[in-house]
Amino acid sequence: MNEAFVNINGGQVQSLELILMITVLSLLPSIVIMMTSFTRIVIVMSFLRNALGMQQTPPNSVLVGIALFLTLFIMSPVLNEVNENAYIPYKNEEITGQEAIDRASVPMKTFMLKQTEIDTLDMFMEFSGEEKTQSYEELPLTVIIPSFITSELKRAFIIGFLLLLPFLLIDIVVSSTLMSMGMIMLPPALISLPFKILLFITVNGWQLLFSTLIKGFN
């Protein structure tokens, strides 16, 4: 009778772990987007594509792929820490599932808090009713994640604005030149596109952009 009860309890535990794993996998896309560097990277590259005036080049699938692999590169130290401190001990049955989640959240919180502005964090703390603390690492993820996303959106739009400026100047110069020559019917974007691409290639734009994004998370 006792052995049967133990087997039933063991089956219930395994079922709960399976449900938890399925839940985590279903939330994985949101975790990748909201808790990593993915959001900033993909927004900045979208700004760059619009600044160049090429609406479909590179295509969305390429931009998402680049953002994913850059995110993997940037997040590799954090993922290694999660693997060593949480996943491997849990896999070896040295800690429980809840302890593994608690350990895994520590490096993620550290990464997000490093990129989060204090004013934004204080705002969400006030909205959630959380008391101010000397250690922001003690805050729950429900406060840290929206604060992190808000800060990431701000930084992404700042970088995007700075990317737009040089290409906007090219558009203005080309448009003014065409108007002075009386070529009003000729689309300025058609003429400025080769100059934008030439400028981007001359300054080694992709390498400069990627290095700037990576250094921004160090």
Side-chain angles (χ1 to χ4, degrees):
M1 181 70 179
N2 291 334
E3 293 180 358
F5 181 73
V6 170
N7 290 333
I8 291 174
N9 281 343
Q12 290 176 345
V13 171
Q14 291 179 355
S15 299
L16 290 175
E17 290 181 350
L18 181 60
I19 293 172
L20 179 61
M21 184 178 297
I22 294 173
T23 303
V24 171
L25 289 175
S26 63
L27 294 175
L28 187 59
S30 298
I31 293 174
V32 171
I33 294 173
M34 299 300 173
M35 298 176 64
T36 66
S37 57
F38 179 85
T39 299
R40 186 193 303 186
I41 295 171
V42 75
I43 290 177
V44 168
M45 289 195 294
S46 297
F47 267 104
L48 174 64
R49 186 173 63 179
N50 291 331
L52 288 171
M54 298 184 296
Q55 301 300 322
Q56 299 298 327
T57 305
N60 290 330
S61 58
V62 174
L63 291 185
V64 172
I66 294 172
L68 282 174
F69 278 97
L70 283 178
T71 299
L72 181 62
F73 179 82
I74 293 169
M75 299 296 298
S76 57
V78 179
L79 296 177
N80 290 335
E81 188 174 349
V82 171
N83 182 57
E84 293 176 1
N85 297 336
Y87 177 71
I88 292 178
Y90 174 72
K91 183 179 179 182
N92 295 334
E93 299 182 352
E94 298 174 1
I95 58 176
T96 63
Q98 183 60 46
E99 290 175 334
I101 294 174
D102 294 337
R103 290 190 181 186
S105 64
V106 173
M108 294 301 300
K109 285 183 178 180
T110 302
F111 169 80
M112 288 188 288
L113 287 171
K114 188 178 179 181
Q115 307 298 326
T116 303
E117 295 182 350
I118 300 300
D119 293 341
T120 305
L121 197 60
D122 290 339
M123 180 189 70
F124 279 98
M125 287 174 58
E126 182 180 353
F127 289 160
S128 64
E130 291 284 341
E131 295 182 359
K132 290 190 176 182
T133 176
Q134 296 294 329
S135 177
Y136 288 108
E137 285 79 6
E138 298 176 0
L139 292 173
L141 288 173
T142 52
V143 174
I144 296 177
I145 292 176
S147 304
F148 169 73
I149 287 298
T150 305
S151 300
E152 285 295 280
L153 289 172
K154 178 181 177 180
R155 286 193 176 93
F157 273 72
I158 291 174
I159 297 173
F161 171 75
L162 296 176
L163 280 173
L164 284 171
L165 286 180
F167 299 110
L168 179 62
L169 290 176
I170 294 177
D171 284 332
I172 293 173
V173 171
V174 170
S175 179
S176 300
T177 304
L178 292 177
M179 289 184 65
S180 63
M181 297 174 61
M183 304 173 67
I184 302 176
M185 301 302 295
L186 187 63
L190 184 65
I191 306 300
S192 63
L193 179 59
F195 293 101
K196 292 180 181 179
I197 296 175
L198 179 61
L199 172 64
F200 192 69
I201 294 173
T202 303
V203 300
N204 200 0
W206 288 115
Q207 181 175 331
L208 183 61
L209 177 62
F210 292 163
S211 63
T212 303
L213 288 172
I214 292 171
K215 290 178 182 178
F217 289 97
N218 293 332

